[in-house]
């Protein structure tokens, strides 16, 4: 029975917040997407169109415009359905087509390095955000629905996607002020990454839930009564704390669940800012506040535009409660973040909104300067995704810095010249070292001198923000070029000597010029300067030089084509899928997915009920089970000169080091083998595991590339992977 796909709830939702919306555009986008995805299914077995509809519903929950809803419905048609951009533009207009294209491009590129993939995807995301923030809002909605349905993915994919969500997408939602999306992404990822801890949180929270809800309701009733007597109109509600938030407080702060004061936060929404402070005073006059638990995010908003008053009081039953007080506009911002200030809705620019997004523009200014992938990713995590502290200048101006920010970060945040002429700092009126970690509420005064020689190269180890590092590097690049050129040469030669290869063999002029082209510097001198000031990692340069060195060495060792043994075919049937079956013709033949045999592998057939013959390698671990039914085993052989490719999983175990993955990938590329996917991980003992899926032509080619990978520095073991569990499941289904 075909499932009925209903678009009406989505249209009703859009009309509820925008009665004049062009729902015909949305309806047409749905009809087009439904036709484009016809016949496609998700891993859950549901029609694929259910995913774009779910994404559109999430986008509608942010109350975005009809172009955003239409783009959400169409967000996969360019990537998965062969639809052309020009067709979308013709049917739905340039604005919708550009949004769809922007979302599609975030997932389009393929990379050989996990770090390279992460840095490029981050850069693409920020560029897309700068052009049109709606692109990233649709992408976040797409990720949220994928996380909701993650259980249908293989377990290794679940962990990979959940970790990426926790590292990138949840912090990004937080930075954009999308609190509901952020909380749900964190909890969904937490459930996958820490299943035992998640269940522990669920048990601890549920254990006294009813009692806690009753106490909360009693306090809300009392609050409502007190505020009504004072003549203040307010909405009062309770909000349960999310599991991951509880986990972070318990395990990162070493607290027991009884010490978590905001398992349920009470939210009070009033009309005006003055009412917020009036309500705060009333609450503190009726219930005792806990010391050091008051936060004024109205006077000093969070970087994601969040505003509210937070206080924790002792309730009527002796239980601590967190109370949040805000206006309706603040509440809308807290719920919808950047979407609450949407300039597209009224066709005008909100200058205050633009100012609050200055962090994004700053990011784009300095991201071009950071060429090392690891450093860029870490800089983003510090500058954009980390917790913030709020500090004050002596004149009372507020500055936000990442947690761990120093007086030097503050100096460069005030102005570049203040940073360059800094000779010392005072924190709360007392002289403090420049590497002091600042705390919320600190008053920072920077001491400057016109006679200052400028920054020290050691400052790069002190500052936390990428913007400060960039300004320091610019100074050295501009003022001390010769010094940095000499330092860069020395650093690079030292890194080359670690390889055991003579510098003149590795640092050839043509290879150095090629590296300059790849890292976008003008010439070799600029390359040395970039290394000298720390904007380019010497190890990554050496890794690229080694790729070219090894490629030249391997050029004399081409892989020989496979030669299938000449065989007497009498008694064998006709070839099917490159395989001949002894004594039988016209049978469907397929290669087993558990051991993925390739031409040249010793093989045997297994007769499956109603599905022909499945071909396994002789050494397949599943043969032990297959041999229990010997009547179903049958002799098979490879057709002579048969050519095909098959995905083969290879696992590499090595000592973890910078450039390891690049060295392995270089071997694969030189062998002209297509790499379908790669993932890497390292344990606490610095043992790295690389999981590769290669498109292999035959057994000889596979053995050749495995031998070459085994010779890479620090590689300890290379093996072909067989998925025994998957094979058993497949056989159970076949039988």
């Amino acid at each position: 029975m075909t499932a009925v796909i209903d678009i009406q709830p989505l249209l009703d939702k859009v009309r509820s917040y925008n009665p004049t919306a062009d729902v015909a555009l949305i309806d047409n986008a749905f009809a087009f997407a439904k036709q484009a995805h016809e016949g496609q299914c998700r891993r859950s077995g549901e029609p694929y169109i259910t995913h774009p509809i779910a994404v559109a519903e999430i986008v509608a929950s942010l109350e975005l415009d009809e172009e955003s809803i239409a783009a959400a419905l169409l967000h996969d048609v360019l990537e998965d359905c062969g639809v052309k951009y020009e067709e979308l533009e013709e049917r739905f207009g340039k604005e919708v087509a550009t949004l769809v294209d922007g979302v599609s491009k975030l997932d389009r590129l393929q990379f050989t390095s996990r770090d390279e993939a992460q840095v490029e995807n981050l850069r693409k995301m920020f560029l897309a955000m700068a052009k049109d923030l709606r692109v990233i809002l649709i992408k976040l909605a797409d990720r949220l629905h994928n996380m909701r349905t993650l259980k249908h993915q293989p377990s290794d994919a679940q962990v990979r996607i959940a970790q990426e969500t926790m590292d990138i997408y949840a912090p990004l939602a937080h930075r954009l002020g999308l609190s509901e999306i952020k909380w749900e992404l964190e909890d969904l990822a937490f459930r996958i990454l820490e299943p035992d801890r998640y269940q522990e949180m669920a048990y601890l929270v549920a254990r006294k839930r009813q009692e806690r809800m009753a106490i909360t309701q009693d306090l809300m009733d009392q609050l409502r009564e007190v505020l009504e007597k004072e003549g203040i109109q307010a909405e009062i509600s309770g909000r349960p704390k999310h599991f991951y938030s509880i986990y972070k407080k318990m395990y990162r702060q070493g607290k027991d669940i009884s010490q978590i004061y905001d398992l349920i936060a009470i939210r009070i929404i009033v009309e005006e800012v003055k009412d917020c402070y009036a309500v705060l005073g009333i609450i503190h006059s009726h219930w005792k506040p806990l010391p050091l638990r008051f936060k004024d995010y109205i006077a000093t908003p969070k970087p994601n535009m969040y505003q509210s008053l937070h206080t924790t009081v002792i309730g009527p039953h002796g239980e601590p409660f967190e109370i949040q007080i805000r206006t309706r506009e603040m509440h809308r911002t807290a719920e919808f973040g950047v979407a609450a200030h949407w300039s597209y809705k009224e066709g005008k620019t909100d200058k205050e909104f633009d100012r609050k997004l200055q962090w994004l523009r700053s990011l784009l200014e300095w991201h071009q300067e950071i060429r090392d992938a690891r450093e860029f990713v870490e800089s983003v995590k510090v500058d954009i995704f980390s917790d913030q502290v709020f500090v004050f200048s002596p004149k009372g101006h507020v500055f936000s810095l990442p947690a761990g920010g120093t007086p030097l970060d503050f100096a460069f945040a005030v102005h570049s010249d203040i940073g360059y002429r800094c000779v010392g700092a005072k924190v709360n009126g007392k002289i403090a070292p420049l590497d002091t970690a600042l705390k919320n509420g600190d008053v920072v005064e920077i001491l400057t001198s016109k006679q200052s020689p400028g920054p020290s190269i050691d400052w790069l180890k002190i500052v936390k923000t990428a913007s400060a590092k960039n300004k320091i590097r610019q100074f050295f690049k501009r003022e001390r070029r010769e010094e940095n050129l000499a330092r860069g040469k020395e650093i690079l030669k030292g890194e080359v000597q670690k390889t055991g290869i003579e510098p003149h063999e590795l640092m050839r002029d043509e290879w150095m010029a090629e590296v300059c082209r790849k890292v976008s510097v003008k010439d070799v001198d600029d390359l040395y300067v970039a290394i000298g000031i720390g904007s380019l990692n010497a190890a990554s340069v050496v890794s690229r030089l080694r790729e070219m060195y090894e490629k030249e060495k391997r050029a004399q060792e081409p892989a020989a084509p496979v030669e299938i043994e000449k065989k007497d075919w009498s008694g064998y049937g006709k070839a099917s899928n490159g395989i001949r079956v002894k004594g039988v013709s016209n049978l469907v033949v397929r290669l087993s997915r558990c051991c993925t045999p390739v031409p040249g592998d010793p093989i045997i057939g297994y007769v499956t009920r109603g599905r022909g013959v499945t071909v396994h390698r002789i050494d397949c671990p599943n043969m032990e089970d297959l041999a229990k039914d010997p009547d179903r085993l049958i002799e098979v052989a490879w057709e002579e000169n048969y050519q095909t490719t098959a995905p083969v999983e290879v696992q590499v175990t090595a000592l973890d080091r910078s450039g390891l993955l690049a060295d392995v990938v270089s071997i694969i590329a030189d062998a002209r083998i297509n790499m379908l996917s790669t993932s890497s991980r390292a344990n606490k003992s610095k043992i790295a595991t690389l999981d590769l899926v290669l498109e292999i032509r035959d057994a000889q080619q596979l053995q050749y590339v495995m031998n070459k990978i085994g010779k890479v520095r620090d590689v300890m073991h290379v093996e072909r992977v067989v998925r025994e569990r998957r094979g058993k499941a497949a056989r159970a289904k076949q039988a």
Side-chain angles (χ1 to χ4, degrees):
M1 182 176 178
T2 305
V4 177
I5 309 297
D6 188 6
I7 192 68
Q8 196 58 46
L10 174 61
L11 300 180
D12 292 342
K13 172 67 176 174
V14 175
R15 286 193 189 98
S16 70
Y17 67 82
N18 186 5
T20 62
D22 181 7
V23 293
L25 175 67
I26 300 171
D27 208 10
N28 291 337
F30 163 70
F32 185 88
K34 185 179 180 184
Q35 183 179 3
H37 290 296
E38 189 69 39
Q40 296 179 355
C41 290
R42 305 201 82 212
R43 286 182 178 269
S44 62
E46 295 177 301
Y48 192 89
I49 188 63
T50 59
H51 170 63
I53 290 175
V55 173
E57 288 173 343
I58 295 169
V59 172
S61 72
L62 297 174
E63 300 188 0
L64 294 187
D65 53 20
E66 52 265 46
E67 288 81 11
S68 301
I69 311 295
L73 288 166
L74 298 164
H75 78 273
D76 277 334
V77 299
L78 290 179
E79 192 74 13
D80 298 339
C81 305
V83 174
K84 301 296 183 185
Y85 174 88
E86 292 73 18
E87 183 178 0
L88 278 186
E89 184 175 4
E90 181 180 349
R91 281 176 173 263
F92 303 102
K94 185 174 181 62
E95 189 173 354
V96 172
T98 302
L99 286 172
V100 175
D101 189 46
V103 176
S104 299
K105 283 178 178 176
L106 292 182
D107 290 322
R108 192 171 292 167
L109 295 186
Q110 298 295 319
F111 299 92
T112 55
S113 157
R114 188 176 180 183
D115 287 333
E116 182 186 359
Q118 192 176 41
V119 70
E120 288 306 323
N121 280 328
L122 274 174
R123 281 176 168 156
K124 284 166 61 186
M125 268 199 287
F126 293 126
L127 287 169
M129 287 162 61
K131 291 177 182 176
D132 194 329
L133 268 170
R134 291 175 295 179
V135 170
I136 201 64
L137 297 178
I138 296 169
K139 180 61 185 173
L140 285 169
D142 174 52
R143 175 52 63 110
L144 177 55
H145 185 249
N146 283 333
M147 287 298 296
R148 288 173 178 174
T149 56
L150 197 59
K151 65 181 179 182
H152 301 292
Q153 292 281 353
S155 57
D156 56 340
Q158 288 186 32
V159 172
R160 174 179 56 79
I161 294 169
Q163 191 63 61
E164 184 181 60
T165 298
M166 191 69 87
D167 289 344
I168 302 298
Y169 288 97
L172 185 57
H174 174 65
R175 198 62 172 83
L176 295 173
L178 305 169
S179 56
E180 292 296 334
I181 290 179
K182 175 247 188 186
W183 287 327
E184 187 173 354
L185 286 175
E186 284 182 340
D187 277 0
L188 290 169
F190 179 41
R191 187 171 190 168
I192 298 296
L193 299 174
E194 300 274 2
D196 293 339
R197 294 271 171 83
Y198 180 90
Q199 293 302 326
E200 179 186 359
M201 290 299 101
Y203 169 74
L204 290 174
V205 171
R207 189 173 57 179
K208 292 189 175 182
R209 183 178 180 84
Q210 293 301 321
E211 177 186 344
R212 195 160 48 244
M213 289 299 292
I215 295 172
T216 303
Q217 187 61 51
D218 184 34
L219 181 58
M220 288 194 298
D221 291 341
Q222 292 188 43
L223 277 168
R224 199 170 285 113
E225 182 180 344
V226 167
L227 294 180
E228 285 177 359
K229 285 182 179 179
E230 297 290 339
I232 294 179
Q233 297 295 317
E235 291 180 16
I236 302 175
S237 60
R239 176 187 63 80
K241 194 74 173 177
H242 292 261
F243 289 172
Y244 186 65
S245 298
I246 301 170
Y247 163 75
K248 283 196 298 185
K249 290 195 173 184
M250 286 181 62
Y251 286 92
R252 295 185 183 179
Q253 299 178 19
K255 292 183 176 180
D256 182 81
I257 196 165
S258 62
Q259 298 173 284
I260 307 298
Y261 301 139
D262 52 354
L263 289 176
I264 297 179
I266 293 176
R267 184 176 293 152
I268 301 175
I269 300 174
V270 295
E271 294 298 328
E272 299 182 46
V273 173
K274 63 182 180 63
D275 295 333
C276 294
Y277 291 99
V279 168
L280 178 70
I282 293 168
I283 290 172
H284 283 184
S285 67
H286 283 77
W287 293 279
K288 186 176 181 180
L290 283 180
L292 305 177
R293 293 286 302 171
F294 169 67
K295 296 173 184 175
D296 187 345
Y297 292 121
I298 294 179
T300 54
K302 290 185 178 182
N304 63 3
M305 299 177 289
Y306 176 88
Q307 287 184 287
S308 192
L309 297 177
H310 288 198
T311 186
T312 301
V313 301
I314 302 297
H317 300 276
E319 290 220 359
F321 277 89
E322 182 182 77
I323 299 176
Q324 302 169 355
I325 311 164
R326 63 183 69 148
T327 66
R328 292 187 189 280
E329 186 60 32
M330 292 173 191
H331 180 61
R332 179 175 172 78
T333 299
E335 295 294 300
F336 296 154
V338 294
H341 295 260
W342 206 248
S343 57
Y344 294 89
K345 289 181 177 178
E346 299 178 10
K348 62 183 180 181
T349 302
D350 183 342
K351 291 183 179 179
E352 179 67 10
F353 179 51
D354 287 345
R355 185 187 66 78
K356 289 171 180 175
L357 287 180
Q358 184 57 41
W359 62 270
L360 175 57
R361 294 176 182 85
S362 299
L363 182 72
L364 292 171
E365 287 173 6
W366 55 255
H367 91 278
Q368 298 288 353
E369 294 290 328
I370 302 179
R371 297 181 177 88
D372 182 68
R374 287 181 183 272
E375 184 179 354
F376 179 82
V377 172
E378 289 308 312
S379 296
V380 167
K381 288 179 179 178
V382 170
D383 266 29
I384 307 304
F385 295 162
S386 67
D387 292 333
Q388 303 285 307
V389 294
F390 298 94
V391 298
F392 296 85
S393 71
K395 293 183 178 180
H397 296 132
V398 182
F399 291 82
S400 66
L401 298 173
T406 66
L408 274 178
D409 290 294
F410 174 83
F412 282 102
V414 174
H415 197 280
S416 301
D417 289 341
I418 300 295
Y420 292 149
R421 293 190 284 112
C422 174
V423 293
K426 288 183 179 180
V427 177
N428 301 323
K430 297 180 180 179
I431 295 292
L434 292 178
D435 61 355
T436 301
L438 299 175
K439 301 186 294 296
N440 274 319
D442 282 346
V443 178
V444 185
E445 180 183 354
I446 300 300
L447 309 177
T448 62
S449 170
K450 291 182 179 180
Q451 283 71 47
S452 168
S456 161
I457 196 69
D458 293 332
W459 284 10
L460 289 171
K461 299 175 184 177
I462 295 175
V463 295
K464 303 299 180 184
T465 58
S467 56
K469 288 182 180 180
N470 185 43
K471 289 172 182 176
I472 294 168
R473 286 170 181 150
Q474 285 177 343
F475 175 87
F476 281 102
K477 188 175 182 179
R478 183 176 63 248
E479 303 292 333
R480 301 183 183 176
R481 179 178 172 83
E482 294 304 317
E483 178 184 330
N484 287 302
L485 192 150
R487 182 188 292 111
K489 279 185 180 179
E490 183 181 340
I491 293 171
L492 185 61
K493 285 184 178 179
E495 197 67 33
V496 168
Q497 288 170 354
K498 294 178 184 178
T499 67
I501 304 171
E502 289 297 322
H504 71 273
E505 291 186 65
L506 208 56
M507 298 169 65
R508 298 185 191 176
D509 291 344
E510 64 272 23
W511 291 351
M512 292 289 284
E514 177 64 14
V515 171
C516 290
R517 187 187 66 79
K518 288 183 177 180
V519 299
S520 303
V521 297
K522 184 174 68 174
D523 53 32
V524 175
D525 282 354
D526 278 359
L527 182 77
Y528 288 136
V529 171
I531 294 171
I533 64 176
S535 65
L536 187 61
N537 187 289
S540 67
V541 173
V542 171
S543 177
R544 292 176 187 270
L545 292 171
R546 283 197 64 186
E547 286 177 27
M548 291 180 272
Y549 176 82
E550 296 291 344
K551 185 175 182 178
E552 183 178 272
K553 287 183 63 178
R554 289 191 295 271
Q556 291 82 34
E557 304 178 46
V562 66
E563 295 181 6
I564 302 296
E565 177 187 358
K566 295 286 184 182
K567 193 172 184 72
D568 178 12
W569 293 116
S570 57
Y572 283 81
K574 292 182 179 180
S576 173
N577 205 16
I579 302 291
R580 289 179 182 256
V581 181
K582 190 164 187 179
V584 184
S585 291
N586 301 321
L587 270 180
V588 176
V589 177
R590 64 188 186 90
L591 303 179
S592 167
R593 294 175 62 190
C594 61
C595 57
T596 56
V598 294
D601 281 333
I603 51 177
I604 192 167
Y606 182 83
V607 179
T608 57
R609 296 189 177 102
R611 298 187 65 188
V613 174
T614 302
V615 177
H616 293 260
R617 289 179 10 225
I618 290 291
D619 61 348
C620 176
N622 296 313
M623 284 304 301
E624 182 180 346
D625 288 338
L626 299 176
K628 293 176 182 177
D629 199 352
D631 293 337
R632 294 170 71 178
L633 297 176
I634 190 167
E635 187 176 337
V636 294
W638 293 104
E639 172 75 341
E640 292 178 355
N641 302 319
Y642 176 63
Q643 294 185 348
T644 187
T645 58
V648 175
E649 297 182 52
V650 174
Q651 189 172 87
V652 181
T653 306
L655 295 175
D656 190 25
R657 64 170 172 83
S658 176
L660 171 66
L661 183 58
D663 290 349
V664 172
V665 168
S666 177
I667 296 286
I668 296 165
D670 291 342
R672 298 189 176 183
I673 294 172
N674 185 29
M675 186 162 65
L676 300 176
S677 70
T678 177
S679 64
S680 61
R681 58 191 183 278
N683 61 23
K684 294 180 180 178
S685 302
K686 297 295 183 181
I687 301 298
T689 302
L690 311 182
D691 294 309
L692 315 171
V693 180
L694 310 179
E695 197 170 50
I696 295 297
R697 181 182 66 236
D698 51 54
Q700 191 167 345
Q701 184 189 46
L702 176 62
Q703 193 57 52
Y704 169 81
V705 76
M706 288 175 63
N707 288 342
K708 298 300 291 182
I709 292 173
K711 295 177 182 178
V712 171
R713 179 168 64 93
D714 296 328
V715 169
M716 299 182 290
H717 184 59
V718 184
E719 65 176 339
R720 184 175 182 178
V721 177
V722 178
R723 299 297 178 191
E724 184 174 3
R725 185 179 301 171
R726 186 171 66 190
K728 288 181 179 179
R731 287 196 307 282
K733 186 176 180 182
Q734 293 161 8

